[in-house]
Amino acid sequence: MAFDDDIQMKYKEMLANYIQELTEQALYEGQRFSWKAIEHKIPPEEIINIHLKVLKELFPDIPKKILDSFDFLLEVMVGYGLAYQEHQFLRGRQLELKSEIEIAANVQQALLQTNIPKVEELDIGVISVPAKIMNGDYYQFAEHENTMSVAIADVIGKGIPAALCISMIKYAMDSLLESRQNPSYILENLNRVVEQNIDVNMFITMFFGKYDFRTNKITYASAGHEPGFYYCASEDHFYDLQSKGLVLGVDRQVKYEQYELNLFQNDMIILLSDGVTETRTKEGFIDRAAVTSAIRAHLHLPAQQIVENIYKDFEKMQGFQLRDDFTLIIMKKNV
Amino acid sequence: MNLEIDIKREKKVSYVHLKGEIDAYTAPALKNKLAPISEESEPFIEVNLKDVEYMDSTGLGVFVGLLKTVRKQGGKLKLTNLSPRLERLFHITGLDSIIEISRKGED
Amino acid sequence: MDGQSCVMIMNEWDIVAARQLGRHAAKELGFGAVDQARITTAISELARNIYHYANGGKIYIDKIEEKEKKGIKITASDHGPGIPDIRKAMEDGFTTSGGLGAGLPGVKRLMDEFYIDSKTGEGTVVQVVKWLR
């Protein structure tokens, strides 16, 4: 390689020049040389060796002790050279892993596709953004003749472990939804599946609701999930969606209580994951009122626009770095 | 992202004092430190959370796992001095109905 | 071709004796200063492993010749506990001693040829070669 052959000569020129002139320009030449040397994978101990050879040529009378000191320096630098090589190797590995994860994330996205029901009665907006590459939040809609169901779940942790759990829930839910049963039944069954199949330190929070178009009632149950909100249009007031239940996966025999709510025109149901309420600004955590204020600011927009605007606001609040997966669902009653 | 773990044994009870944050980074260390104690016969573990400013769901998971083991060994787990924020976390998840909890100033 | 030299590694200062032998052989063969440093670092690493994990072993230093090439061959052997997971021991970023020293991947990088075999309960052999360029 041309660079390697001349390297000692070039180095001698640059070093001699610097010692003679002592200019910043001359030092900068050294920096440029270093980039080239790194590009050509010249290890640090080689550079020391070149420096030593060049010194001998430039200063034939150089004291032996100084030359000897370079043997010592060489010994020390071999270790650094190895660390550098390991670093280069690990960098390459990391890029490989990253693309593997991205492929997995795409597979996951395809598997978890859920269609947002297009029904006259409800205007539905959804946003779900993972903090890392794979999403540990899960949501699912299902439509039947006179009813529609919505599920939102949060697996503890982030990234790949959480995402793998989500796949399990999705498949369990698919078969449970076929049964057309009520929310209590769904959560109780899911709880048993989860308890048998996850690590002792894991659990899942979930909210499950069923809306009946004939009665305009939403029936719901929650397994330790962050409470959603109910916006009552006639009072122009936000209520917490009251519900209590133990998280999934801890106790096989838990029972879940069901709750009911009537929806009127322009009322809203808001569901979220704790990535929303765990938003941290410079001042500290936001409180739940921040969520309702944010909704108020965009109240008269279509549901999808509301969720997207809120996400943008909260993203900015966190300095564009999500701490946790962020999921927000808004369902507005049109008629 | 730092957690200090201090454990004092007084007869049959292990008093655990935690300081800092319990999250995905610090939770594994906490789990490993508490594991041997929880696996003894009839372990009595009291964890003081007075100086825990923040805990996320991974932290909760550690206590869930701890509770399961302690129960299996016929022992008891108690968490004390929870801040309002932590108390809320245990309440929403329903975990306050299965783990003994007391808030700051109550003991 | 000269005969083989051998150093028993029982104490930490035996590591220095092994290095000395290696450097001497490398110099005689005509290796430059940088390669000498690389060879002695490799010997250090192998001797340290014997000292820390195997409770005693041997380092053999050979000058070898193959066709037109001259080189140095270092063999480290012990009857220690053996390495249970050689694959893991050869992985970058994995060190049992907490990051000190180059580890086996480092030794492999310093030399031209690398061979390892180990049986749990019986011992370990590592053999490396560096050729004169």
Side-chain angles (χ1 to χ4, degrees):
Chain A
M1 272 187 278
F3 182 72
D4 284 2
D5 293 338
D6 296 336
I7 197 175
Q8 195 173 319
M9 205 161 57
K10 273 205 190 84
Y11 193 88
K12 183 176 174 182
E13 257 178 65
M14 291 185 299
L15 182 61
N17 183 40
Y18 174 68
I19 293 174
Q20 176 82 355
E21 310 287 334
L22 294 174
T23 58
E24 194 58 46
Q25 175 69 26
L27 281 176
Y28 180 61
E29 288 304 310
Q31 188 176 68
R32 293 182 64 204
F33 169 81
S34 132
W35 298 335
K36 263 239 162 105
I38 289 174
E39 217 183 303
H40 282 79
K41 301 195 196 297
I42 314 261
E45 63 267 25
E46 275 298 346
I47 303 285
I48 306 266
N49 198 32
I50 291 167
H51 191 96
L52 179 62
K53 289 196 186 142
V54 164
L55 272 188
K56 283 187 197 161
E57 282 182 33
L58 290 175
F59 306 104
D61 295 329
I62 194 171
K64 182 172 183 298
K65 291 194 177 156
I66 299 204
L67 293 178
D68 290 343
S69 79
F70 274 85
D71 290 334
F72 190 82
L73 184 59
L74 207 60
E75 190 71 36
V76 172
M77 284 317 270
V78 171
Y80 276 93
L82 287 172
Y84 171 73
Q85 281 184 63
E86 187 190 43
H87 173 258
Q88 292 297 90
F89 178 76
L90 290 174
R91 262 183 92 211
R93 272 271 226 94
Q94 201 208 20
L95 288 171
E96 268 174 45
L97 280 174
K98 193 155 177 255
S99 62
E100 227 181 277
I101 293 180
E102 276 165 0
I103 296 175
N106 288 334
V107 171
Q108 190 205 29
Q109 226 186 351
L111 286 173
L112 298 182
Q113 272 295 11
T114 187
N115 292 317
I116 301 174
K118 287 213 171 18
V119 291
E120 266 182 61
E121 294 88 336
L122 295 173
D123 174 21
I124 303 174
V126 183
I127 187 161
S128 183
V129 183
K132 292 186 173 181
I133 300 180
M134 295 186 84
N135 203 337
D137 281 354
Y138 158 83
Y139 69 90
Q140 185 175 33
F141 289 95
E143 260 181 281
H144 301 124
E145 290 128 31
N146 297 302
T147 62
M148 183 201 87
S149 68
V150 58
I152 181 172
D154 198 341
V155 179
I156 73 158
K158 296 180 268 286
I160 297 178
L164 289 173
C165 259
I166 295 286
S167 300
M168 170 190 34
I169 299 182
K170 153 84 170 163
Y171 296 126
M173 279 300 279
D174 277 348
S175 40
L176 279 173
L177 286 173
E178 293 288 308
S179 66
R180 316 269 178 105
Q181 292 282 358
N182 57 38
S184 294
Y185 177 89
I186 303 266
L187 287 185
E188 278 155 21
N189 272 276
L190 201 57
N191 176 53
R192 283 194 285 275
V193 171
V194 170
E195 198 268 340
Q196 269 173 268
N197 287 301
I198 62 174
D199 185 69
V200 73
N201 290 113
M202 290 185 96
F203 59 81
I204 298 171
T205 71
M206 180 181 269
F207 171 99
F208 181 81
K210 208 166 173 188
Y211 181 72
D212 193 323
F213 297 114
R214 298 164 295 189
T215 60
N216 293 323
K217 263 201 189 112
I218 180 168
T219 312
Y220 63 92
S222 168
H225 196 77
E226 179 71 36
F229 297 98
Y230 163 62
Y231 172 72
C232 177
S234 60
E235 291 170 33
D236 189 27
H237 187 82
F238 285 93
Y239 290 94
D240 287 341
L241 265 182
Q242 284 299 0
S243 58
K244 197 154 157 58
L246 184 62
V247 296
L248 301 175
V250 174
D251 183 342
R252 192 172 301 189
Q253 290 157 333
V254 154
K255 293 264 173 283
Y256 291 97
E257 209 181 310
Q258 235 166 242
Y259 304 83
E260 244 178 31
L261 196 60
N262 282 310
L263 288 189
F264 301 97
Q265 186 172 20
N266 293 326
D267 281 355
M268 290 197 291
I269 295 283
I270 300 119
L271 303 175
L272 36 79
S273 69
D274 70 1
V276 179
T277 45
E278 293 261 307
T279 298
R280 239 201 259 211
T281 65
K282 273 184 256 118
E283 284 86 48
F285 286 103
I286 59 159
D287 54 17
R288 279 170 65 86
V291 182
T292 52
S293 314
I295 299 174
R296 235 179 229 295
H298 307 289
L299 203 56
H300 300 293
L301 295 172
Q304 189 58 36
Q305 265 190 278
I306 302 179
V307 298
E308 281 172 17
N309 286 347
I310 295 181
Y311 171 69
K312 285 204 193 91
D313 290 342
F314 279 48
E315 195 192 26
K316 212 195 287 181
M317 259 195 258
Q318 292 184 64
F320 296 92
Q321 271 184 309
L322 286 188
R323 280 179 71 101
D324 198 355
D325 307 320
F326 183 107
T327 302
L328 184 62
I329 298 176
I330 291 185
M331 296 182 293
K332 251 188 181 186
K333 192 167 190 309
N334 279 332
V335 293
Chain B
M1 286 201 232
N2 288 314
L3 182 67
E4 282 170 40
I5 307 169
D6 184 63
I7 307 180
K8 278 193 183 59
R9 280 297 273 260
E10 236 166 83
K11 295 181 210 169
K12 273 228 92 181
V13 186
S14 297
Y15 292 96
V16 182
H17 182 258
L18 302 176
K19 184 168 178 206
E21 306 194 338
I22 311 176
D23 58 19
Y25 302 101
T26 57
L30 179 60
K31 182 178 159 195
N32 288 331
K33 265 228 154 139
L34 295 177
I37 308 173
S38 64
E39 282 155 21
E40 292 172 3
S41 161
E42 290 184 22
F44 271 66
I45 306 179
E46 189 173 304
V47 185
N48 187 344
L49 296 170
K50 183 166 74 98
D51 296 313
V52 174
E53 297 122 30
Y54 171 78
M55 175 160 70
D56 70 5
S57 53
T58 330
L60 277 183
V62 172
F63 290 114
V64 166
L66 192 63
L67 176 74
K68 287 182 184 169
T69 315
V70 164
R71 265 184 173 176
K72 205 163 62 149
Q73 299 294 102
K76 201 161 156 230
L77 175 66
K78 193 170 163 190
L79 305 180
T80 64
N81 289 304
L82 272 68
S83 67
R85 204 186 161 80
L86 285 186
E87 220 199 327
R88 180 182 183 267
L89 201 57
F90 278 88
H91 183 71
I92 290 187
T93 53
L95 290 170
D96 61 355
S97 64
I98 58 171
I99 302 180
E100 197 181 324
I101 308 245
S102 69
R103 75 167 76 115
K104 262 189 184 143
E106 223 169 49
D107 273 340
Chain C
M1 212 183 39
D2 288 347
Q4 202 182 57
S5 309
C6 170
V7 181
M8 289 277 294
I9 309 290
M10 295 302 299
N11 302 300
E12 201 158 10
W13 51 84
D14 292 332
I15 298 174
V16 177
R19 282 175 57 112
Q20 227 149 28
L21 214 62
R23 189 180 295 274
H24 187 75
K27 257 196 191 134
E28 286 194 339
L29 280 165
F31 281 102
V34 180
D35 278 341
Q36 282 177 44
R38 291 186 176 128
I39 291 165
T40 48
T41 302
I43 293 173
S44 268
E45 199 56 38
L46 294 174
R48 273 170 51 128
N49 280 346
I50 293 177
Y51 171 64
H52 279 292
Y53 302 116
N55 225 2
K58 293 195 174 103
I59 300 263
Y60 299 89
I61 315 253
D62 295 283
K63 292 190 208 154
I64 57 176
E65 206 168 321
E66 208 173 275
K67 295 175 194 166
E68 301 281 292
K69 291 191 295 182
K70 281 209 185 118
I72 187 170
K73 179 165 88 175
I74 298 146
T75 311
S77 97
D78 66 68
H79 294 292
I83 304 172
D85 193 341
I86 301 183
R87 251 186 90 197
K88 245 211 165 137
M90 291 304 298
E91 256 175 35
D92 270 315
F94 174 83
T95 34
T96 44
S97 57
L100 296 171
L104 290 173
V107 172
K108 191 169 178 193
R109 284 197 172 104
L110 289 166
M111 308 298 277
D112 296 326
E113 290 171 26
F114 180 94
Y115 165 84
I116 184 170
D117 196 11
S118 183
K119 277 199 181 69
T120 15
E122 286 181 32
T124 307
V125 173
V126 181
Q127 198 168 77
V128 291
V129 173
K130 193 160 190 76
W131 298 107
L132 204 57
R133 273 168 295 172

